[in-house]
Amino acid sequence: MSKKIAVIPGDGIGKEITASAVEVLKKIDGIYHLDLSYEYRPAGGTAYDLCGSPLPQDTIDTAKASDAILFGAVGGNKWDNVEPSKRPEQAVLGLRKNLGLYVNLRPVKVSSVLAEYSPLKPDIVTGTDIMIVRELVGGIYFGDRCESEIHNGVERAWDLENYSVPEVERISRFAMEAARKRRHKVTSVDKANVLATSRLWRRTITKLAEGYPDVALNHFYVDNCAMQLALNPKQFDVIVTSNLFGDILSDEAAVLGGSIGMMPSASIGEMTSLYEPIHGSAPDIAGKGIANPCATILSAAMLLRYSLDADAAADAIERAVDETLADGWRTPDLYKEGFKKANTDTMTEEILKHIR
Ligand code: NAD
């Protein structure tokens, strides 16, 4: 049976980098016989221009009916003055909500080739291989809030964090299973010395971990974890944490690899999952053909691994990206003297040559 991929390029460089990733998927399909088919749908500012909505119902329906979604990026200055509910970025939030995407996965892998772009010293960062598992649909981002009220004669605002046991169990189970496919270690990050939700989080994951005797669980407070990511990132395998802490830690960890043009991500749901680079639509370089396609190509590899169980095909893509970098090819975001300069198309062609 054909596997349907909804391709949602979005705005700006989204169109350029998803085109590269689809070329790579097509080549992989020819070798691994995955029988992939593609349906393109608009989102973001492009969709707003077409039909007045950043996330048309047809895009949602197509996404839901597909086996996986390859997403580019949305946004751009052109839509700065559009009313907030119709801004391009609403497309991402709308897809998360409609598809029930409850896990955000961010792999952070720093090879010796990328280590020189890291702000950390090569000996500290080389060999880092972390999977950040962030809870995506609960916690303080989705709790009740008050923008402004008068309390005891002064104005205040508040946001409410709540987590239920089933919510923590679901994300914890995901992290444990992920660790089983890696180095069997989970670090749960919370602020249990202060927050009640963190204490419930810690109790729940500790209990759940009893069912995973082959996975080692440890606990870090979020402030210490932020520090340890910079001091000794190689100590981590899987990190699991709440929506708020995950938002911050995953951006900190993304810096370790040196360029956001290299960082893929996945948002996993109970039905269809979505794969996208961590960067935005980069309006400053859109249309110039110089965007780094690697983050999106690596997101396509995650799509094969997590939605289609095609591990060998995913490995082949990741290896091809590594080998292309090792050959010295660099897009302008990573280019330094002595390397071979590539634009988006050249980089894609070189990666295609390494796929076997
Ligand atoms: P950005 O990630 O688009 O760009 C930040 C910087 O990184 C820019 O200098 C850009 O040129 C560079 N960059 C990003 N991706 C690159 C790539 N693949 N190759 C080479 N260079 C790359 O962030 P921003 O400028 O803050 O945001 C631009 C727009 O994207 C905004 O409208 C923002 O809301 C949106 N955005 C969308 C998403 C998403 O769709 N998921 C995520 C983040 C930002």
Side-chain angles (χ1 to χ4, degrees), residues 234-309:
K234 279 185 268 192
Q235 70 184 290
F236 296 110
D237 179 10
V238 172
I239 292 178
V240 61
T241 191
S242 65
N243 205 343
L244 172 65
F245 297 157
D247 193 4
I248 299 163
L249 292 178
S250 57
D251 268 15
E252 183 193 353
V255 175
L256 302 180
S259 168
I260 55 174
M262 293 300 305
M263 310 299 283
S265 80
S267 297
I268 309 281
E270 313 232 304
M271 307 177 286
T272 312
S273 300
L274 180 146
Y275 301 84
E276 61 176 328
I278 72 160
H279 58 73
S281 58
D284 53 334
I285 57 165
K288 295 185 179 163
I290 56 170
N292 185 345
C294 290
T296 315
I297 290 170
L298 293 171
S299 301
M302 291 185 84
L303 180 157
L304 296 177
R305 177 166 286 120
Y306 290 100
S307 283
L308 305 187
D309 276 332

Side-chain angles (χ1 to χ4, degrees), residues 35-53:
D35 197 9
L36 307 177
S37 64
Y38 306 89
E39 292 216 42
Y40 286 78
R41 290 294 182 276
T46 306
Y48 175 81
D49 287 348
L50 278 171
C51 60
S53 161

